[in-house]
Amino acid sequence: PVLTVLLCAAAYLAGSVLFALPVCQLWKLPDPRAQGSGNPGATNVYRTGGWPPALLTLALDAAKGWLPVWLAHAAGLSVMVQAVVALFAVTGHMIPIFYRFKGGKGVATALGAGLALAPVTTLMMAAIWMLVIWRWRISALASLIAIVCGPLISAFLEPETLPLFGLLALLIVVRHRNNLIRLAQGREAGL
Ligand code: G3P
């Protein structure tokens, strides 16, 4: 239990580091919270900085989800505990202690956590994300479709992770509520 509590706390703290902000500083780009969608995530870094800083943001935000879950796995903790650790990392990104609890949408962090816990499901979700991007070039639409497919895919392929993907879908859809409104109004910006 001590290890579980420590890993959950570490996951929340790691999740609270919004890598879009240091990456934008490094590239001398404007604060992503004041540009485009206002979201401190890879998509919004792409809008001002293009692929290199966006991919670095994606990789680092994914790594902070992947690492604590991998540690929980390596320590022999159960899938349920690993799922809880994953949720702490994603929650850290969404309501970060270091940025007055104003964070991002959790897609990259969920990607990393998912790769550590349910790689087949997560890779299929990533493939769906890329297919939607290829067809419509709207990141939020790709994220929403991929995350909603998560519970369905995991139910068949990695059923012990179904509760995690269900909760991730719920949290991430709620965080995209403004994107959903813009999508419904046909005003969501493409890439
Ligand atoms: O990962 C976040 C993405 O789904 C939407 O980002 O900046 O278009 O709101 P954004």
Side-chain angles (χ1 to χ4, degrees), residues 120-122 124-125 128 146 148-159:
V120 182
T121 298
T122 307
M124 288 188 71
M125 291 164 72
I128 291 169
V148 166
C149 289
L152 303 172
I153 300 169
S154 70
F156 286 102
L157 299 182
E158 288 159 319

Side-chain angles (χ1 to χ4, degrees), residues 32 35-45 47 58 93 104-108 129 138-144 172 175-176 178-179 182 188-191:
Q35 295 288 323
S37 68
N39 189 55
T43 298
N44 208 28
V45 172
R47 291 190 180 105
L58 175 69
H93 183 85
K105 295 173 185 171
V107 177
W129 191 94
I138 299 175
S139 180
L141 184 66
S143 299
L144 283 162
I172 290 177
R175 294 296 287 190
H176 281 78
N178 291 331
N179 301 86
R182 286 195 294 269
E188 179 70 5
L191 280 185

Side-chain angles (χ1 to χ4, degrees), residues 104-177:
K105 295 173 185 171
V107 177
T109 311
L111 168 72
L115 282 175
L117 187 51
V120 182
T121 298
T122 307
L123 284 174
M124 288 188 71
M125 291 164 72
I128 291 169
W129 191 94
M130 284 189 258
L131 269 176
V132 178
I133 286 292
W134 172 72
R135 177 66 182 81
W136 286 289
R137 307 196 69 81
I138 299 175
S139 180
L141 184 66
S143 299
L144 283 162
I145 292 177
I147 203 66
V148 166
C149 289
L152 303 172
I153 300 169
S154 70
F156 286 102
L157 299 182
E158 288 159 319
E160 68 282 11
T161 61
L162 173 59
L164 172 66
F165 283 102
L167 284 169
L168 285 176
L170 194 69
L171 291 171
I172 290 177
V173 169
V174 168
R175 294 296 287 190
H176 281 78
R177 56 194 180 281

Side-chain angles (χ1 to χ4, degrees), residues 26-102:
L26 199 67
W27 255 265
K28 304 201 186 316
L29 295 167
D31 187 326
R33 293 169 299 181
Q35 295 288 323
S37 68
N39 189 55
T43 298
N44 208 28
V45 172
Y46 173 82
R47 291 190 180 105
T48 51
W51 285 111
L55 287 177
L56 184 60
T57 303
L58 175 69
L60 293 171
D61 277 347
K64 77 190 184 188
W66 180 83
L67 186 60
V69 178
W70 182 83
L71 286 173
H73 177 78
L77 299 173
S78 69
V79 168
M80 204 187 84
V81 171
Q82 293 176 52
V84 171
V85 171
L87 286 168
F88 269 93
V90 174
T91 306
H93 183 85
M94 290 179 172
I95 40 176
I97 192 164
F98 305 130
Y99 303 100
R100 297 165 189 242
F101 306 105
K102 286 191 195 336

